[in-house]
Amino acid sequence: AQSVSQHNHHVILSEAASLELGCNYSYGGTVNLFWYVQYPGQHLQLLLKYFSGDPLVKGIKGFEAEFIKSKFSFNLRKPSVQWSDTAEYFCAVGGNTNAGKSTFGDGTTLTVKP
Amino acid sequence: GAVVSQHPSWVICKSGTSVKIECRSLDFQATTMFWYRQFPKQSLMLMATSNEGSKATYEQGVEKDKFLINHASLTLSTLTVTSAHPEDSSFYICSAMPIAGGWSDTQYFGPGTRLTVL
């Protein structure tokens, strides 16, 4: 069975600070990895995804994530956060044998102080 | 592009009644849709995979007779919560996977439906 662990439940940063949110997964096969964001009052949106190729993935709004296979990690980063990045962030893992099913982490709440 | 809608956005019902929630992919076709449940301050829990033209696949612990799923067309899946009870109160979210991408494609999420059972 696959599982996802997000270590940070709540992160508080000031504007312009750098961000790194941890995500570790457990899965026995080839993985697909996702980061989703849920802004207050809005639905989940895809930030970025990794299926294969370059392990450093760039997404929307200046976010990137690095897939490190040896560490089973897919951490999300942004060099300089903005107040508008305040949201809930979910890491998810899917496998190519799961017909698209994904397992989500518990989420990390990011609060950016202006 | 890739917009998914849900209706209603919120519903309040009496205990014992049934509630139907619709999930529509507005600008793409989806053979596969997923239904999730999200509790406050918690993650999404996959309830079932809805497959167009066939029976839904339920996750372990999810009562298929209580949460009826119908995927009648390539753009519509419905979740009916039968004989709802207060413990069924939750935020129900659907997602749809475009038809062309196969297993590796991305899920597009609906805005969710808040169900409150009195």
Side-chain angles (χ1 to χ4, degrees):
Chain A
Q2 56 201 35
S3 65
V4 180
S5 175
Q6 291 182 241
H7 313 298
N8 316 102
H9 296 294
H10 193 179
V11 173
I12 303 173
L13 295 172
S14 297
E15 275 195 313
S18 63
L19 169 73
E20 181 160 3
L21 300 182
C23 173
N24 285 91
Y25 67 91
S26 169
Y27 184 69
T30 303
V31 292
N32 305 317
L33 296 158
F34 308 84
W35 275 99
Y36 292 92
V37 61
Q38 188 172 28
Y39 297 104
Q42 296 188 29
H43 61 276
L44 276 164
Q45 301 172 44
L46 179 70
L47 268 182
L48 47 80
K49 61 184 178 183
Y50 170 81
F51 290 156
S52 64
D54 189 342
L56 184 61
V57 179
K58 298 205 181 288
I60 61 171
K61 305 188 180 185
F63 287 91
E64 65 177 32
E66 185 175 11
F67 169 52
I68 303 180
K69 189 175 181 179
S70 60
K71 295 185 178 180
F72 298 92
S73 70
F74 190 57
N75 292 353
L76 181 71
R77 300 194 293 248
K78 186 171 183 177
S80 176
V81 294
Q82 301 173 313
W83 175 79
S84 57
D85 293 324
T86 295
E88 187 86 13
Y89 292 82
F90 293 95
C91 180
V93 60
N96 62 350
T97 58
N98 280 1
K101 291 199 297 186
S102 290
T103 299
F104 284 76
D106 287 341
T108 297
T109 302
L110 172 65
T111 301
V112 180
K113 296 181 179 178
Chain B
V3 177
V4 176
S5 70
Q6 283 184 240
H7 178 79
S9 55
W10 60 272
V11 57
I12 301 173
C13 69
K14 292 182 179 180
S15 186
T17 60
S18 294
V19 174
K20 180 186 284 188
I21 303 170
E22 293 185 348
C23 176
R24 293 182 185 272
S25 55
L26 298 185
D27 49 4
F28 65 96
Q29 293 183 323
T31 52
T32 302
M33 292 184 174
F34 300 96
W35 286 96
Y36 296 86
R37 189 170 175 176
Q38 186 179 29
F39 293 98
K41 304 295 185 183
Q42 293 188 30
S43 187
L44 283 74
M45 183 193 77
L46 179 64
M47 298 175 65
T49 303
S50 172
N51 302 297
E52 188 268 338
S54 64
K55 290 183 180 180
T57 305
Y58 290 82
E59 295 301 300
Q60 193 171 13
V62 178
E63 298 176 59
K64 62 180 180 181
D65 294 330
K66 180 166 187 65
F67 299 100
L68 300 179
I69 291 172
N70 184 284
H71 195 150
S73 77
L74 289 173
T75 58
L76 173 64
S77 175
T78 60
L79 169 68
T80 301
V81 183
T82 62
S83 186
H85 291 283
E87 57 265 30
D88 298 325
S89 298
S90 191
F91 196 56
Y92 292 88
I93 302 173
C94 75
S95 71
M97 186 177 298
I99 196 170
W103 60 266
S104 62
D105 222 335
T106 302
Q107 295 179 44
Y108 296 92
F109 286 82
T113 297
R114 173 77 58 195
L115 170 63
T116 301
V117 184
L118 302 177

